[in-house]
Amino acid sequence: MRKFSVVAIALMVGVSFAYASSLAIPWFVDNASPGSGIPGSSNGVTGIVTLKSNVASEITCYITYYNQAGVKLGPFPPDNSFTVDALSSLAFRPVVHDPDNTITLTDLQNNGIDTNGDGTIDAADLVGGQEGIQGLLVPNRPRSADTTTPIPGTNPPTIDRKKNGSIVIEWIGGTAQDVQGMVAYYQTNIATDGQVITMSYAHLLPPGL
């Protein structure tokens, strides 16, 4: 009896397989305030992740954040997905909502985005930052609400209010080349004499898990 490979059998019976591909952000820091600008208006690091779709249809991605100890922070399904428009790019900040000048108050209200966390969505949340509408809808890194409350869904229950970590971004189907990415950092230090110094660097994202 001849033995057929799985691939040969799949071709004969018309079976298709869906593969998961991913990108990884090995480490990020994003602790600058929304609307800080580049160069920054205050001390801190603005982290920006850019993703580029190479496919001619909308693609759905799934994002997972981890802390420095490798604990999975979420967000957990169904709150971990976002989309990238066909053949387009998006840029997002991993920790804060940072709407750019294309975002309207209606955009923020429709999506329940309170940029400055003051409990109201108003003109003060239009900060002229770095995220367009696609980037604004990428889920942010989960953080504990206070120093005693674990992040919902974490196992073991984890209290973490940091503004750093690592990320895996996944999508189903296609190839690893469907989505490309890079991460950039802009670190601003304001000297005592008022001089603003911003250092920046960027790197391409390697394959994920």
Side-chain angles (χ1 to χ4, degrees):
M1 179 182 293
R2 294 183 179 180
K3 296 181 179 180
F4 294 91
S5 68
V6 172
V7 174
I9 294 173
L11 290 173
M12 290 175 63
V13 299
V15 175
S16 62
F17 293 91
Y19 296 93
S21 300
S22 63
L23 291 175
I25 295 90
W27 189 252
F28 72 88
V29 177
D30 185 33
N31 58 20
S33 300
S36 294
I38 299 172
S41 58
S42 60
N43 291 320
V45 179
T46 297
I48 300 176
V49 178
T50 301
L51 302 177
K52 169 67 172 69
S53 168
N54 294 321
V55 297
S57 59
E58 181 183 82
I59 188 167
T60 299
C61 297
Y62 305 87
I63 190 167
T64 306
Y65 293 87
Y66 299 81
N67 68 9
Q68 78 284 351
V71 175
K72 186 176 183 178
L73 304 178
F76 299 98
D79 301 319
N80 61 336
S81 66
F82 63 94
T83 59
V84 186
D85 288 343
L87 302 174
S88 76
S89 296
L90 65 79
F92 72 95
R93 292 188 58 182
V95 175
V96 301
H97 293 302
D98 199 22
D100 68 17
N101 289 325
T102 69
I103 302 299
T104 67
L105 184 56
T106 300
D107 291 329
L108 297 184
Q109 292 170 337
N110 287 345
N111 292 285
I113 296 172
D114 178 11
T115 300
N116 56 22
D118 65 358
T120 60
I121 301 174
D122 53 27
D125 294 298
L126 297 171
V127 297
Q130 308 301 317
E131 295 180 309
I133 189 61
Q134 284 195 89
L136 201 60
L137 297 178
V138 177
N140 287 342
R141 179 204 195 273
R143 301 173 64 230
S144 295
D146 51 48
T147 57
T148 60
T149 303
I151 295 171
T154 52
N155 185 21
T158 301
I159 298 170
D160 191 317
R161 289 186 52 78
K162 296 183 178 69
K163 297 181 179 181
N164 55 31
S166 63
I167 308 172
V168 174
I169 296 169
E170 301 173 280
W171 61 95
I172 304 299
T175 70
Q177 287 73 44
D178 282 355
V179 180
Q180 296 173 291
M182 62 172 281
V183 61
Y185 303 97
Y186 303 87
Q187 179 172 348
T188 296
N189 294 286
I190 301 178
T192 55
D193 62 0
Q195 182 180 12
V196 177
I197 301 172
T198 295
M199 299 174 289
S200 65
Y201 68 95
H203 63 79
L204 297 177
L205 301 183
L209 299 176

